[in-house]
Amino acid sequence: MLKIENLHAEIDGKEILKGLSLEVNAGEIHAIMGPNGAGKSTLGYVLGGRPGYEVTAGSITFNGEDLLDKEPHERAAAGVFLGFQYPVEIPGVSNVQFLRESLNAQRAQRDEKPLSGAEFLKLARAQADALGLQQDMLKRPVNVGFSGGEKKRNEMVQMGIIDPAFAILDETDSGLDIDALRIVGDGINRIMRRPDKAVLLITHYQRLLDYVKPDRVHVLADGRITRSGGPELALQLEREGYAEVAA
Amino acid sequence: MTDVLELPSTRHEAWRWADTGGIAAAAALAPVAPAKADFLDLPGARLLFVDGVLDDAASDLHRVRIGDLTPGDHPLGRRATHGWSLHLDAGAVADPVQVVHVATGGENHLAAQIVLAADTSAQLVETFVGAGWSNRQTRIRLGHAARLMRAVRMTQDAGFVSLRDDAELGEGASYVATVLGAGDQGARVDAAITLAGAGGYAEFGGALLTRDATKQECAVRVRHAAPNGQSHQLWRAVAADTSQASLAAAVEVARHAQKTDGEQSLRGLLLQRTATVNLKPELEIFADDVKCAHGATVGELDARALFYMASRGIPAPRAKALLTRAFVADALDRIADDTVRDAFAADADAWLERAL
Ligand SMILES: Nc1ncnc2c1ncn2[C@@H]1O[C@H](COP(=O)(O)OP(=O)(O)OP(=O)(O)O)[C@@H](O)[C@H]1O
Ligand SMILES: [Mg+2]
């Protein structure tokens, strides 16, 4: 589904990704772990097409298509969803409006009919309920004044509504309380654990992986994948640290 | 061709950002077919002026009268000597007054006078369409506890709209005015508002949206001449291309106007770096027990928010439109009437469609 080959990317002339290769097949969930500053979020932004993140070499194909050729909004419509490590606040734009605009913009790009206000609200309410996000937070401006954990739940509500084929979830578990972690873990499984979907789960901790069992675990250090393995690799990392395992 | 050379030069502080060249060019615009007059679905008086002349057949005056009015001494306002007036006697309740100004090229001048006696209230909605120089002088006198709500939208296709307002508020009177510049004409919103009686309340603000090479400005001065008054000047300026939007808002508090609460919030948004936003909040305070807050900031659209929206599938022009609408929402939300507010919001949306 996703194939990254020898990816080099820089920000402001500074190389962050230094020859990263990774392949994720449909039906798989891959975890990416690695030290602070290794380039994990950068990988997510490059996949999403964030301006300022310049790819200098390598390729990314998504379902056989060149992903780098597409604008960020086109990547979303093609099925790529980026769950942000730091979700952005948008004063003056309500969550409901933002999400309806998002979904209908994607549907328009795929030549699908827009959802009506009523259809959309039904969908949004169901997803908010499933992820334990208070209904009134749908009416509030996007992420404004949300707690850290609420922002992360909101990301998952968005993912549930958009129903993407592929999700990069950047530290979705950080900032969540114990109950929220389980709810979000269940949400990821419910929305994304499908034969035709795949997930790249960026995390620092095993605890999320107790709920969302990864098929593969990779260590990203200094801009490349330095080690890959099965679920047991995460446990080993937690026990022994990056220095020991993936130096 | 008009004698625009009689206008003060831009070396005068109050005319610093005035586009006198734009006025001259507007006055010289060739005739165009009259634009359609769009009245909102509100009860009350409907006045249609085509080039400053009342279209009797299309108008319904209710309490409004037409006649000569005393010109002021303002360089722009004094050109308007004839127009409409609304006088309400104490306790009278009036339906809204809607005025549509259609310009068909060249220049036109029109005066208005609104005199509200004690405990009356009125609502006024004005719309400018067409092309040419539309010049207006509006004199407002509010008696004890009288209330006037006014909304003005400038949506001409070309030319210039100049407004000169002169308002005096009696004790406990309230004047709430919202101005929207969402056309392709230049504009000068020039207002002097005096809180002459104690406990007056004035809100004068709005949004100026400029694109291409147009220039719009507000030059507003609120004078607190009595104690316990409150004034709010909340303006938003959005400038695209090589346009210029300027906001000059002054608050003057006289020595005995104690307990005055004056607020100015001026914010600008540059849609391109080639555009210009000028902000000038000004305070002249001679009383010692006052609360005056003012803020002035210019910025660009938040790049992180734009990427966040793009990552959810929203194309850049739409994302920019949503953020820009949110930026001006504060100003338009001041309009209390749903019908009027929706119409103004739709004008702002239409402008964004064209500009982005
Ligand atoms: N605008 C920038 N200019 C220069 N360097 C930058 C810029 N933005 C990020 N970086 C650097 O890129 C590197 C990778 O950052 P990134 O956010 O991808 O790390 P990460 O692996 O997600 O770390 P964490 O686990 O702390 O979230 C860091 O060293 C960071 O300082
Ligand atoms: Mg990170």
Side-chain angles (χ1 to χ4, degrees):
Chain A
M1 180 172 239
L2 180 78
K3 190 168 185 191
I4 304 174
E5 280 182 307
N6 187 35
L7 185 66
H8 290 256
E10 56 183 50
I11 316 167
D12 289 337
K14 183 182 166 203
E15 182 161 74
I16 310 292
L17 299 182
K18 306 168 182 174
L20 185 146
S21 298
L22 183 66
E23 192 166 352
V24 183
N25 297 313
E28 294 179 350
I29 291 181
H30 290 217
I32 292 198
M33 305 180 82
N36 294 130
K40 303 183 297 299
S41 293
T42 302
L43 174 62
Y45 289 142
V46 169
L47 288 168
R50 181 170 174 170
Y53 286 67
E54 204 196 331
V55 174
T56 52
S59 66
I60 307 177
T61 50
F62 180 67
N63 287 335
E65 289 186 329
D66 181 1
L67 193 68
L68 295 173
D69 217 27
K70 294 182 193 291
E71 295 287 323
H73 69 278
E74 296 168 340
R75 299 182 191 193
V80 176
F81 178 89
L82 178 58
F84 282 59
Q85 182 174 0
Y86 303 107
V88 181
E89 300 189 359
I90 312 179
V93 178
S94 78
N95 234 342
V96 172
Q97 187 189 11
F98 172 61
L99 282 164
R100 191 169 162 216
E101 290 272 353
S102 300
L103 185 61
N104 283 338
Q106 292 199 19
R107 293 177 69 94
Q109 292 178 66
R110 296 190 294 253
D111 292 322
E112 296 164 10
K113 275 204 321 228
L115 287 195
S116 72
E119 288 168 324
F120 174 78
L121 266 185
K122 202 171 147 216
L123 176 64
R125 291 214 176 102
Q127 290 298 334
D129 273 346
L131 285 145
L133 190 80
Q134 301 271 319
Q135 293 286 344
D136 68 323
M137 306 199 82
L138 290 172
K139 291 190 211 123
R140 281 172 43 185
V142 180
N143 292 323
V144 177
F146 286 28
S147 74
E150 286 166 346
K151 284 180 181 167
K152 295 302 176 70
R153 285 188 206 216
N154 199 22
E155 291 291 285
M156 293 303 97
V157 171
Q158 295 182 22
M159 185 171 79
I161 290 168
I162 288 170
D163 196 21
F166 181 76
I168 308 119
L169 304 181
D170 193 352
E171 296 198 28
T172 298
D173 53 337
S174 65
L176 294 178
D177 65 42
I178 296 161
D179 292 341
L181 189 66
R182 181 179 44 77
I183 293 168
V184 163
D186 290 347
I188 296 171
N189 289 327
R190 174 177 56 85
I191 300 161
M192 300 303 296
R193 183 58 94 186
R194 305 256 179 92
D196 55 343
K197 293 190 173 195
V199 178
L200 210 50
L201 207 57
I202 298 171
T203 182
H204 285 294
Y205 306 105
Q206 168 64 34
R207 57 185 191 194
L208 179 65
L209 304 181
D210 290 339
Y211 295 107
V212 186
K213 298 263 184 300
D215 301 289
R216 301 282 294 161
V217 175
H218 310 274
V219 178
L220 199 170
D222 195 23
R224 41 178 103 69
I225 303 295
T226 53
R227 194 161 162 192
S228 299
E232 72 289 344
L233 179 58
L235 292 165
Q236 190 192 350
L237 283 166
E238 192 141 88
R239 270 196 321 270
E240 300 172 18
Y242 295 117
E244 284 292 317
V245 180
Chain B
M1 185 75 191
T2 185
D3 50 348
V4 282
L5 294 178
E6 272 180 32
L7 289 176
S9 100
T10 50
R11 282 193 298 275
H12 284 81
E13 194 53 34
W15 293 82
R16 186 166 154 193
W17 292 311
D19 182 16
T20 47
I23 295 180
L29 279 180
V32 297
K36 202 171 144 285
D38 261 336
F39 285 102
L40 299 177
D41 186 17
L42 295 174
R46 294 182 170 196
L47 280 63
L48 172 62
F49 288 97
V50 178
D51 296 324
V53 178
L54 184 77
D55 180 337
D56 273 312
S59 300
D60 183 355
L61 293 181
H62 281 238
R63 293 164 180 269
V64 171
R65 298 289 169 261
I66 304 292
D68 288 337
L69 293 167
T70 334
D73 55 6
H74 186 269
L76 284 172
R78 68 174 178 226
R79 291 159 194 264
T81 56
H82 185 86
W84 62 274
S85 55
L86 175 71
H87 289 245
L88 290 186
D89 295 331
V93 180
D95 283 331
V97 175
Q98 281 192 74
V99 186
V100 174
H101 306 274
V102 179
T104 69
E107 62 185 273
N108 71 86
H109 306 270
L110 184 72
Q113 190 169 57
I114 298 160
V115 180
L116 304 186
D119 301 312
T120 56
S121 88
Q123 186 191 343
L124 170 62
V125 182
E126 289 174 84
T127 303
F128 289 85
V129 294
W133 176 28
S134 306
N135 181 45
R136 299 292 176 269
Q137 149 94 35
T138 306
R139 183 186 295 254
I140 295 165
R141 294 291 176 267
L142 303 183
H144 180 270
R147 293 170 50 208
L148 176 63
M149 275 146 296
R150 179 175 176 221
V152 183
R153 52 180 171 159
M154 304 180 288
T155 53
Q156 287 192 183
D157 299 322
F160 202 94
V161 175
S162 53
L163 306 177
R164 166 62 187 181
D165 295 353
D166 172 353
E168 200 173 292
L169 281 64
E171 188 180 342
S174 150
Y175 176 41
V176 175
T178 306
V179 180
L180 172 66
D184 285 329
Q185 82 292 319
R188 175 174 170 93
V189 180
D190 180 326
I193 298 165
T194 305
L195 284 77
Y201 180 90
E203 263 187 41
F204 200 94
L208 301 181
L209 317 177
T210 59
R211 62 170 189 149
D212 293 333
T214 54
K215 292 182 179 176
Q216 299 189 0
E217 59 158 343
C218 81
V220 183
R221 176 164 286 262
V222 175
R223 293 191 184 90
H224 286 265
N228 291 313
Q230 234 194 82
S231 68
H232 301 275
Q233 300 181 69
L234 190 152
W235 287 94
R236 299 290 177 256
V238 177
D241 309 320
T242 56
S243 67
Q244 174 178 304
S246 307
L247 307 174
V251 176
E252 203 180 297
V253 183
R255 196 177 311 278
H256 56 282
Q258 302 294 2
K259 306 274 182 209
T260 285
D261 182 351
E263 187 203 4
Q264 291 162 303
S265 165
L266 311 180
R267 289 177 59 196
L269 178 65
L270 293 171
L271 293 181
Q272 279 93 30
R273 292 200 176 162
T274 43
T276 306
V277 169
N278 299 306
L279 304 180
K280 188 174 159 229
E282 215 182 327
L283 293 171
E284 284 171 28
I285 303 176
F286 299 102
D288 46 27
D289 185 13
V290 301
K291 199 172 93 193
C292 284
H294 69 124
T297 53
V298 183
E300 294 177 85
L301 291 172
D302 180 357
R304 290 174 323 131
L306 287 174
F307 174 61
Y308 192 56
M309 296 171 108
S311 79
R312 297 298 182 256
I314 303 176
R318 183 65 193 150
K320 287 179 183 171
L322 286 170
L323 292 182
T324 309
R325 264 300 268 119
F327 177 81
V328 298
D330 287 358
L332 300 184
D333 283 349
R334 306 308 306 164
I335 302 173
D337 187 290
D338 291 342
T339 305
V340 180
R341 193 176 54 247
D342 289 350
F344 278 52
D347 289 333
D349 286 338
W351 183 89
L352 287 166
E353 286 276 318
R354 296 195 301 273
L356 292 169

